[in-house]
Amino acid sequence: MPWIKKEYDCGNCIVVVKEFCTRYGSKGKITYNTTNERGEVSEKTQRYLEKRAQRKADVVVNSNFGKGDYFITFTFARGKLPDSVEELNRIRRNYFDQLRKVYKEHGAELKYYGRLHDEGVRPHFHFVFNNKFNIADFPEWKYGNPKIEILDGRKHHTIGSYFERGTTDEEKEVKKLHPRGKVYCSKNLYRPKPKITKMKGSRWRDIPKNRQGYYVDKSTLENGYTENPYNRGTYRYQSYVLVKSNEKERLNI
């Protein structure tokens, strides 16, 4: 039951996690205990799991999308909101069938990652797409006015974390069926495997050092605790992002 460090190389950044795992097998398989014998999750562990889900989404998004790619929010205007999740998904499938055809016509392969969200207002979809042609050639979204953004040149985007944020507690049909929304992603996304290093313990610095060629994005730094529900132990963890840079950029941080 060792302490481990996991590093996900996303290209322009590296997502780092230091934590305790319940079991670390001979082939590097990691197992965590998250619930007790009654299937209950503590508040502290729940927060840790939410942060872990956000990191995983950030790894996928930063490994596949970057400067110039499209971030689109598909909304539903008054009177055009479907009355069931099934209808929402039918609309999404039909739109993506059209979108794949357009990408194919441009000799490109569609890559996407997104979610259905209900944030206490109205259900809507968030998606990030690879930019292979002008956004004007995208199929028309007939249900509202989509919000279109272009990813800037930063080397670490937080869209994945945004996708994984929880929704409000308001009683809505969409939320009943999908409490956190459902991830939709193309099968051609690159998912980097972590480099795993066994550590001697949890005696690490509260503020990690920069690495050659990278600096620590302190806005991503988190020092927290999670619990093992079986032995009631509390274990420290740390996560942060290393951003690729040159010497001049690091001196200006």
Side-chain angles (χ1 to χ4, degrees):
M1 297 190 292
W3 296 88
I4 60 171
K5 178 172 68 173
K6 296 188 294 185
E7 299 178 276
Y8 296 87
D9 190 341
C10 305
N12 285 323
C13 64
I14 299 175
V15 178
V16 182
V17 186
K18 301 172 185 176
E19 59 187 350
F20 179 85
C21 67
T22 306
R23 186 173 70 238
Y24 183 85
S26 59
K27 295 184 179 180
K29 184 177 180 181
I30 299 171
T31 302
Y32 301 91
N33 286 327
T34 57
T35 62
N36 61 21
E37 60 276 7
R38 296 186 298 276
E40 299 169 337
V41 180
S42 70
E43 182 177 343
K44 189 175 293 185
T45 299
Q46 181 61 42
R47 183 173 186 278
Y48 164 78
L49 293 175
E50 290 177 356
K51 288 293 184 180
R52 191 172 75 180
Q54 290 179 17
R55 287 195 299 269
K56 288 183 176 180
D58 268 343
V59 166
V60 175
V61 170
N62 282 285
S63 297
N64 291 275
F65 305 98
K67 182 178 180 181
D69 286 330
Y70 302 128
F71 178 36
I72 305 178
T73 301
F74 296 98
T75 59
F76 293 87
R78 186 179 300 276
K80 295 186 177 182
L81 178 64
D83 57 6
S84 69
V85 173
E86 290 76 14
E87 180 66 11
L88 280 168
N89 283 325
R90 186 192 66 79
I91 291 172
R92 176 190 56 80
R93 288 194 299 268
N94 288 344
Y95 184 82
F96 273 73
D97 285 344
Q98 299 175 51
L99 192 56
R100 289 188 187 91
K101 291 180 181 178
V102 175
Y103 268 77
K104 189 174 182 180
E105 290 171 358
H106 283 80
E109 184 178 24
L110 170 63
K111 294 176 69 174
Y112 64 89
Y113 186 98
R115 248 187 202 284
L116 166 65
H117 265 181
D118 174 12
E119 299 176 349
V121 184
R122 300 176 70 81
H124 55 274
F125 292 104
H126 292 297
F127 277 98
V128 57
F129 302 96
N130 57 328
N131 181 350
K132 291 298 182 181
F133 50 88
N134 194 300
I135 189 70
D137 290 342
F138 266 47
E140 179 187 2
W141 178 254
K142 301 178 181 179
Y143 304 93
N145 186 24
K147 179 181 179 182
I148 301 171
E149 301 176 68
I150 308 298
L151 297 189
D152 59 27
R154 73 187 71 177
K155 296 176 182 178
H156 172 246
H157 289 275
T158 57
I159 295 175
S161 299
Y162 178 73
F163 286 159
E164 287 293 337
R165 291 175 187 170
T167 58
T168 65
D169 292 329
E170 292 188 16
E171 193 76 1
K172 293 179 181 289
E173 181 180 7
V174 172
K175 180 166 172 52
K176 289 179 186 177
L177 297 178
H178 294 290
R180 292 183 57 80
K182 181 178 179 181
V183 168
Y184 303 102
C185 56
S186 56
K187 296 180 180 179
N188 57 352
L189 296 181
Y190 171 61
R191 298 175 181 272
K193 293 183 179 180
K195 174 186 176 183
I196 300 176
T197 305
K198 294 176 68 174
M199 304 177 67
K200 294 182 179 180
S202 61
R203 295 182 180 178
W204 53 69
R205 297 163 55 97
D206 287 340
I207 301 178
K209 293 182 178 180
N210 294 335
R211 183 182 301 183
Q212 183 175 4
Y214 295 84
Y215 68 88
V216 176
D217 182 347
K218 294 181 180 179
S219 69
T220 67
L221 176 61
E222 180 175 3
N223 289 291
Y225 293 87
T226 185
E227 297 173 330
N228 184 322
Y230 288 93
N231 64 15
R232 302 185 184 280
T234 300
Y235 300 98
R236 185 184 180 195
Y237 74 88
Q238 182 183 76
S239 65
Y240 55 93
V241 175
L242 291 167
V243 179
K244 184 176 289 187
S245 67
N246 55 41
E247 186 63 24
K248 183 178 179 180
E249 289 174 322
R250 289 196 299 277
L251 291 175
N252 290 331
I253 297 304

